[in-house]
Amino acid sequence: MYRAWLKSKLENIVHQDRYLSVESLEKANKEVTSAIVEAYKLSCPLTNPKPMYKDSAWSDELEKKKKMLRKAWNKAGKKGADQQKNRDIHRALLKDYNDAQKRFKEKCRRKFYEEADSIPAYARVHKILAKDPTVQVGSLLKPDGKYTENSKDTVEHLLETHFPGCRRPIQEPSERPTVTPNRNDWKFAERMTKRGKVKYAIHKFHSFKSAGLDEIFPALLGRYRAASG
């Protein structure tokens, strides 16, 4: 699916054998990056999986509390002098039961996160986080209690945390000098970007290494290679 989407999007991009200016090269890079990211999102849309612990979060303690709650409910339904007292007891037991259930679910989640040691396990964590689009993998909790919303926001928060007060220097726009590459420049560029070398470099990446600000991880580059030929 990803290769099909990527191939259709790459067909709309005009490719050149050589890019004679920085602007044309950056434009081509932006178009290819956008095609890869869009094809990935179309072929692998985020889903809302069922809660992992809906049926498994159970214990003997919860079973005992549930039995006590059922008995209290039966007593609270009977008319008599102690009916109000029995209703109060039922409400208290119901609150205690709900709180105990929440604590146990949180304990199960924490244990799972601590013991996760494989890609399938972390994939399950990713699915859990996908339920809330504002809390993605890589999101960080900021001092104001909110989470970072995108990669740029995450990077800025990390910079502010580790290098407080650091600000990017304001540079006045300046005209970029025009440089005409000579024969030696072209030879050097051709030697550094040979198809075989680029393929080898991509192959050496770990497939699911974290994506950068461009949202591309190495596995997508491998599929891009197959789609582009």
Side-chain angles (χ1 to χ4, degrees), residues 53 104-114:
Y53 302 99
F104 190 77
K105 285 184 178 181
E106 184 62 29
K107 181 181 177 181
C108 290
R109 290 191 182 97
R110 189 181 300 110
K111 181 180 179 182
F112 171 74
Y113 296 152
E114 291 174 352

Side-chain angles (χ1 to χ4, degrees), residues 150-199:
N150 50 51
S151 300
K152 182 180 178 182
D153 198 11
T154 300
V155 171
E156 289 179 351
H157 175 57
L158 287 173
L159 286 174
E160 181 62 29
T161 301
H162 295 285
F163 304 96
C166 179
R167 293 289 183 271
R168 182 181 300 176
I170 301 176
Q171 298 180 351
E172 296 183 0
S174 59
E175 294 184 1
R176 181 178 296 174
T178 302
V179 179
T180 303
N182 54 37
R183 184 180 295 274
N184 290 332
D185 294 332
W186 285 117
K187 286 183 178 180
F188 177 77
E190 185 177 3
R191 188 168 66 251
M192 295 301 296
T193 58
K194 283 185 177 179
R195 182 182 292 267
K197 287 188 176 182
V198 175
K199 285 184 178 180

Side-chain angles (χ1 to χ4, degrees), residues 189-212:
E190 185 177 3
R191 188 168 66 251
M192 295 301 296
T193 58
K194 283 185 177 179
R195 182 182 292 267
K197 287 188 176 182
V198 175
K199 285 184 178 180
Y200 176 77
I202 294 175
H203 179 70
K204 294 296 289 183
F205 288 145
H206 291 289
S207 297
F208 295 99
K209 186 178 180 295
S210 298

Side-chain angles (χ1 to χ4, degrees), residues 18 42 51 54 56 67 86 130 138 143 145 164 171 175 191 201 225:
R18 286 185 176 182
L42 288 171
K54 183 176 181 181
S56 60
K67 289 180 179 179
N86 291 334
Q171 298 180 351
E175 294 184 1
R191 188 168 66 251
R225 196 180 48 167

Side-chain angles (χ1 to χ4, degrees), residues 2 40 44 118-120 122-123 126 137 202-212 215-223:
Y2 168 73
Y40 170 62
C44 303
S118 61
I119 290 179
Y122 287 114
H126 191 284
V137 174
I202 294 175
H203 179 70
K204 294 296 289 183
F205 288 145
H206 291 289
S207 297
F208 295 99
K209 186 178 180 295
S210 298
E215 301 182 52
I216 295 178
F217 51 91
L220 297 181
L221 295 177
R223 301 298 187 277

Side-chain angles (χ1 to χ4, degrees), residues 9-21:
K9 290 187 174 297
L10 291 177
E11 289 176 351
N12 298 326
I13 299 176
V14 179
H15 296 276
Q16 301 179 21
D17 293 333
R18 286 185 176 182
Y19 295 91
L20 303 180
S21 66

Side-chain angles (χ1 to χ4, degrees), residues 61-74:
E61 180 186 0
L62 288 176
E63 183 66 28
K64 292 178 181 178
K65 289 181 180 294
K66 186 176 181 180
K67 289 180 179 179
M68 293 175 59
L69 183 63
R70 187 180 295 113
K71 291 180 180 179
W73 167 257
N74 292 333

Side-chain angles (χ1 to χ4, degrees), residues 43-50 126-133 136:
S43 58
C44 303
L46 292 177
T47 58
N48 294 327
K50 295 181 180 179
H126 191 284
K127 289 181 179 179
I128 293 172
L129 296 176
K131 292 189 297 182
D132 186 353
Q136 297 296 324

